[in-house]
Amino acid sequence: MAFKIASSPHVSQGLQTANVMRRVALCLIPGIIVQTVFFGVGSLIQLCLAILTAYLGEALVLKARKRPILVTLKDNSALVTASLLALAIPPLAPWWVVVIGSLFAIVIVKHLYGGLGHNLFNPAMAAYVVLLISFPLQMTSWVAPQSLALNGVDALAAIKAIFAIGPSFANDFYRLGLDGIAMATPLDTIKTDLSLGLTTIESLTKPIFDGSYGIGWFWVNLAYLAGGLALLKMKVIRWHISVGILAALFVCASFGFLISPDTHVSPLFHWFSGGTMLAVFFIATDPVTAATSPRGRLIFGASIGIIIYLIRTYGGYPDAVAFAVLLANMCAPFIDHYVRPRTYGHRSAS
């Protein structure tokens, strides 16, 4: 009997890469729907732009590398990468932001290292960090939730803003900042208020929180949690990384909250704000860039949770998911080197 050994990602069910990626994309749909409901159709426009750019970019690279184009495009990896990047970008960011990010993710991060299965870093998060550092204004101008927006952003207005059709809308959006269209995220609001001397209790009285974890953000995270649980149910991903992140983030946040509740938010606030659940189930679990053994995946996940907490609490970036994932990606080979499962039929090294 002949056996075929292929590069990662691997799953125990023997599913082909295309089927795995298709299931991941399908499980993103609940989060995409909720994100669109709360933050407008700009999210869908960014998604379409990212997917189109990713496929075109990958086709051009494959042609330049003299690799089969259609076969590779059908593995759906570009679809997942583009989707994850688009969902992390503000809905009304200019079109060229998501285009640059998608090309960087596919051409540089993925294919420069040899293609799927050979990249060291998560392509979507590497592209996100490059965009955040290069275009901080565009990458931090999130729209206000629909219930708080003074100026509603319908589909036509979103298209005008993204593609800069008519100078007034796009220019006013970035010049005026908080003008009823743009608004700081809950995590950014907390960090800014603490730097101004306010307590978390005082900050949480602002309209964006509405007495909870942030209007829209709680439901978005809940939707990605539901999609992640579906991935676990279908055994597309394993539980170790997700549990490691959530447990480490919960423990760290609990200590901080118990010691100083006036300057730290609750563990559940960390869980259901920003891109936590998207990272926990869809980003950090990328089998190519994560640790491989069960114990290694737990350590990998826990390291992400700790880094997220440290950057959110003491660093300059409010969300920190992308930075945490990339730092953990760098450590994955180190973790695998020292956390090796015992080979069947051999005694342990100890």
Side-chain angles (χ1 to χ4, degrees):
M1 179 182 293
F3 294 94
K4 181 180 179 181
I5 301 178
S7 60
S8 56
H10 305 289
V11 290
S12 58
Q13 293 175 292
L15 293 173
Q16 293 181 345
T17 300
N19 293 330
V20 173
M21 295 298 175
R22 186 182 302 113
R23 293 186 180 189
V24 173
L26 289 174
C27 289
L28 282 170
I29 292 177
I32 294 172
I33 293 174
V34 175
Q35 193 164 321
T36 303
V37 168
F38 280 99
F39 299 105
V41 296
S43 298
L44 294 180
I45 298 173
Q46 300 289 354
L47 186 65
C48 293
L49 280 173
I51 293 173
L52 178 61
T53 303
Y55 274 110
L56 288 176
E58 184 153 64
L60 292 174
V61 172
L62 290 170
K63 184 176 181 180
R65 296 179 63 194
K66 298 181 180 180
R67 299 292 181 88
I69 296 177
L70 291 179
V71 174
T72 304
L73 292 180
K74 288 180 180 179
D75 67 10
N76 296 319
S77 60
L79 170 65
V80 172
T81 296
S83 299
L84 294 176
L85 175 62
L87 294 171
I89 291 178
L92 297 184
W95 64 270
W96 46 265
V97 171
V98 72
V99 169
I100 292 173
S102 300
L103 289 175
F104 185 87
I106 297 298
V107 177
I108 304 300
V109 185
K110 181 180 177 181
H111 282 285
L112 189 64
Y113 286 89
L116 183 65
H118 301 283
N119 49 288
L120 175 62
F121 298 104
N122 183 287
M125 291 300 96
Y128 176 84
V129 167
V130 168
L131 292 175
L132 182 62
I133 295 173
S134 303
F135 314 109
L137 177 62
Q138 289 79 7
M139 288 296 291
T140 54
S141 297
W142 271 86
V143 296
Q146 295 285 8
S147 59
L148 294 181
L150 301 178
N151 304 311
V153 183
D154 55 19
L156 181 59
I159 292 173
K160 288 182 177 180
I162 293 172
F163 294 99
I165 301 175
S168 60
F169 190 96
N171 291 343
D172 288 346
F173 177 72
Y174 290 108
R175 185 176 69 252
L176 300 179
L178 305 181
D179 63 347
I181 297 174
M183 176 175 286
T185 64
L187 286 169
D188 195 21
T189 300
I190 287 284
K191 183 174 285 291
T192 301
D193 288 347
L194 289 176
S195 68
L196 296 175
L198 276 67
T199 66
T200 55
I201 296 175
E202 292 171 334
S203 182
L204 290 172
T205 60
K206 292 190 172 182
I208 190 175
F209 296 106
D210 194 28
S212 63
Y213 310 110
I215 294 178
W217 294 96
F218 171 76
W219 294 105
V220 169
N221 276 277
L222 205 62
Y224 287 125
L225 171 61
L229 293 177
L231 288 178
L232 289 172
K233 177 68 175 179
M234 293 185 289
K235 297 183 179 180
V236 173
I237 62 174
R238 298 185 180 181
W239 60 268
H240 306 79
I241 294 175
S242 302
V243 170
I245 298 174
L246 292 175
L249 186 56
F250 189 91
V251 171
C252 292
S254 296
F255 275 113
F257 187 67
L258 290 173
I259 294 172
S260 180
D262 287 339
T263 57
H264 294 75
V265 293
S266 69
L268 291 181
F269 187 94
H270 280 284
W271 274 16
F272 294 103
S273 294
T276 303
M277 292 300 172
L278 182 64
V280 166
F281 293 103
F282 295 93
I283 297 174
T285 53
D286 174 19
V288 176
T289 56
T292 54
S293 67
R295 190 153 55 105
R297 285 192 289 265
L298 279 172
I299 297 172
F300 178 84
S303 66
I304 293 177
I306 293 171
I307 296 171
I308 288 176
Y309 175 76
L310 291 176
I311 297 179
R312 283 182 176 181
T313 307
Y314 305 107
Y317 293 93
D319 198 344
V321 162
F323 292 98
V325 170
L326 294 182
L327 289 171
N329 290 159
M330 294 174 61
C331 297
F334 177 82
I335 295 172
D336 284 336
H337 179 75
Y338 286 99
V339 186
R340 295 177 178 176
R342 182 169 63 89
T343 305
Y344 183 75
H346 293 263
R347 296 181 181 274
S348 61
S350 60

